Amino acid sequence: MFKPSAFFLLLSLFGGSLAQAMDYRIETLSEGLEFPWSLAFLPDGRMLVTERVGRLRMIEADGRLLPNPVSGVPQAFVAAQAGLMEVALDPEFASNQWVYLSYAHGSEQANNTRLARGRLVDGGLQDVQVLFTAQPLKRGAAHYGGRIAFLPDQSLVLTLGDGFDWREEAQNPANHLGKLVRVNRDGSVPADNPLVGQAGAAAEIYSLGHRNVQGIVFDAQAQRLYSHEHGPRGGDELNLIEAGHNYGWPLATHGVDYTGALISPYTELPGLQPPLLHWTPSVAPSGLTQYRGSLFPQWQGDLFAATLAERSVRRIRLLDGRLAGEEVLFEELEERIRDVRSGPDGALYLLTDNANGRVLRVVPAE
């Protein structure tokens, strides 16, 4: 059952000379989720939601959270930032029922991000297959990335993190730390990956020089892949991803270390791809979607980035493929937002990041 609560927002159009009033309503679709992390829409109107603590949950179309988790989910290593992360449907899910999951795998002493898939049958996962495990396994429980985007050839890009204490390894092509990787849906390596055949390089690498990439989306109309990542203190980035490019971490950054120490004197360097934009101070972006619905025509094609530290959603306006400004939405919730999704019904969906997390649905006020 929906629980509506109305909020009203005056949107300033970028440049400040014009303004239009836009009303929206935020409804609680479902609640009682323990640190929900990712959301996927099933063709029949139901939804799958991951809980970082290791459970995959099913929500009926009317918002009812089924009491029993989906069975057959691989066991995740759960601690601090580690746990069950992304859920994504195969591009041909209607015929093959494949569901993809990312999660932290291993133990406190040796762990990293893993990708697996299983067939969703009768409320459980069957035929579960491990497709990829990032190497090397490392200590600690931070910076896993974990987001998934499918490309037009139906290969997938998985975002990863630098493991926090291993930031220099983001520049090392021999491993997966601080990288985006691209694999086929069965886990095999595409023959046209940029480092295939390069001596001493991990063949799965699609791009490198990242810190902790927790948002990725493919713009099918413009044929562009966007991602965002956490900086340290400042230097969160939105990037346009191109195969084989180096995005600079930690050689170039707008952020400083948590102690205040300088990480690099450079914000840009030759041969390194600069961000499209950076957020300093940090907003802690987590979750990225592109709006492709009919309920909010003025949002059409724009990017939406959930934030944890700022407790908001950033609307990133795109005009003819170029950035045309930003605005901050939904701060009135005063909650950490873990994920944001453009729904098949034209609504915008949010996941709140807490022990009694909710699925929220943003619709026009009338």
Side-chain angles (χ1 to χ4, degrees), residues 143 162 164 167 211-212 229-237 249-250 252-264 279-285:
H143 291 194
D162 65 354
F164 188 78
R167 65 190 184 197
R211 188 170 181 268
N212 187 22
E229 63 189 76
H230 291 251
R233 284 178 55 186
D236 299 342
E237 296 181 358
W249 176 255
T253 177
H254 288 268
V256 298
D257 215 337
Y258 294 108
T259 63
L262 190 68
I263 294 170
S264 170
W279 293 289
T280 303
S282 179
V283 300

Side-chain angles (χ1 to χ4, degrees), residues 85-100:
M85 295 177 288
E86 185 85 300
V87 56
L89 304 187
D90 189 278
E92 299 176 333
F93 175 84
S95 61
N96 63 27
Q97 288 78 55
W98 284 119
V99 172
Y100 295 77

Side-chain angles (χ1 to χ4, degrees), residues 16-358:
S17 60
L18 296 174
Q20 72 181 68
M22 188 192 74
D23 297 340
Y24 61 78
R25 184 173 74 250
I26 301 178
E27 304 170 333
T28 297
L29 175 65
S30 192
E31 55 192 347
L33 293 154
E34 190 171 358
F35 295 103
W37 212 93
S38 175
L39 175 67
F41 302 96
L42 293 168
D44 61 5
R46 295 179 299 166
M47 284 165 269
L48 292 171
V49 180
T50 56
E51 295 175 302
R52 186 178 52 77
V53 293
R55 293 184 293 264
L56 179 62
R57 307 295 298 274
M58 182 79 74
I59 296 175
E60 297 285 8
D62 63 0
R64 182 170 62 93
L65 177 67
L66 297 187
N68 296 323
V70 174
S71 62
V73 173
Q75 183 175 356
F77 164 59
V78 179
Q81 297 176 12
L84 182 60
M85 295 177 288
E86 185 85 300
V87 56
L89 304 187
D90 189 278
E92 299 176 333
F93 175 84
S95 61
N96 63 27
Q97 288 78 55
W98 284 119
V99 172
Y100 295 77
L101 298 171
S102 69
Y103 55 99
H105 165 75
S107 65
E108 175 69 28
Q109 303 303 315
N111 65 82
N112 214 324
T113 305
R114 173 169 278 187
L115 176 70
R117 70 176 181 176
R119 296 186 193 274
L120 183 65
V121 180
D122 297 329
L125 294 186
Q126 301 179 7
D127 306 323
V128 174
Q129 305 170 357
V130 173
L131 304 178
F132 169 82
T133 304
Q135 299 294 330
L137 302 185
K138 41 70 181 178
R139 291 172 54 106
H143 291 194
Y144 293 92
R147 297 291 184 184
I148 295 170
F150 288 93
L151 301 182
D153 63 359
Q154 298 189 354
S155 65
L156 67 87
V157 175
L158 172 68
T159 75
L160 299 172
D162 65 354
F164 188 78
D165 289 327
W166 289 267
R167 65 190 184 197
E168 290 78 11
E169 294 299 313
Q171 291 295 322
N172 183 356
N175 63 50
H176 301 122
L177 293 172
K179 315 297 193 302
L180 302 188
V181 295
R182 173 176 171 244
V183 296
N184 293 315
R185 291 181 293 165
D186 62 0
S188 61
V189 177
D192 60 347
N193 264 4
L195 301 188
V196 166
Q198 181 174 312
E204 298 90 353
I205 290 175
Y206 194 67
S207 63
L208 67 160
H210 300 286
R211 188 170 181 268
N212 187 22
V213 185
Q214 289 200 339
I216 191 166
V217 68
F218 183 74
D219 180 343
Q221 290 189 13
Q223 296 289 291
R224 292 187 175 105
L225 182 65
Y226 295 98
S227 75
H228 63 49
E229 63 189 76
H230 291 251
R233 284 178 55 186
D236 299 342
E237 296 181 358
L238 175 72
N239 287 300
L240 176 63
I241 300 299
E242 297 185 59
H245 284 209
N246 187 329
Y247 289 82
W249 176 255
L251 301 178
T253 177
H254 288 268
V256 298
D257 215 337
Y258 294 108
T259 63
L262 190 68
I263 294 170
S264 170
Y266 305 106
T267 56
E268 294 187 19
L269 283 170
L272 303 181
Q273 199 73 11
L276 294 178
L277 63 85
H278 70 92
W279 293 289
T280 303
S282 179
V283 300
S286 179
L288 182 66
T289 196
Q290 185 176 38
Y291 184 77
R292 290 295 186 192
S294 59
L295 296 184
F296 297 100
Q298 60 272 55
W299 290 353
Q300 189 62 224
D302 291 346
L303 301 178
F304 288 79
T307 78
L308 299 169
E310 190 176 69
R311 300 184 176 220
S312 71
V313 173
R314 288 273 179 143
R315 176 193 174 196
I316 304 162
R317 190 181 179 204
L318 296 179
L319 184 63
D320 297 328
R322 297 184 178 183
L323 299 187
E326 293 183 75
E327 63 183 305
V328 180
L329 299 174
F330 316 137
E331 283 185 298
E332 66 270 27
L333 291 170
E334 299 182 340
E335 291 195 64
R336 290 161 54 93
I337 309 297
R338 173 60 69 177
D339 202 8
V340 56
R341 300 283 170 158
S342 181
D345 58 354
L348 199 67
Y349 287 79
L350 315 176
L351 296 183
T352 65
D353 181 60
N354 54 58
N356 186 21
R358 299 183 290 162

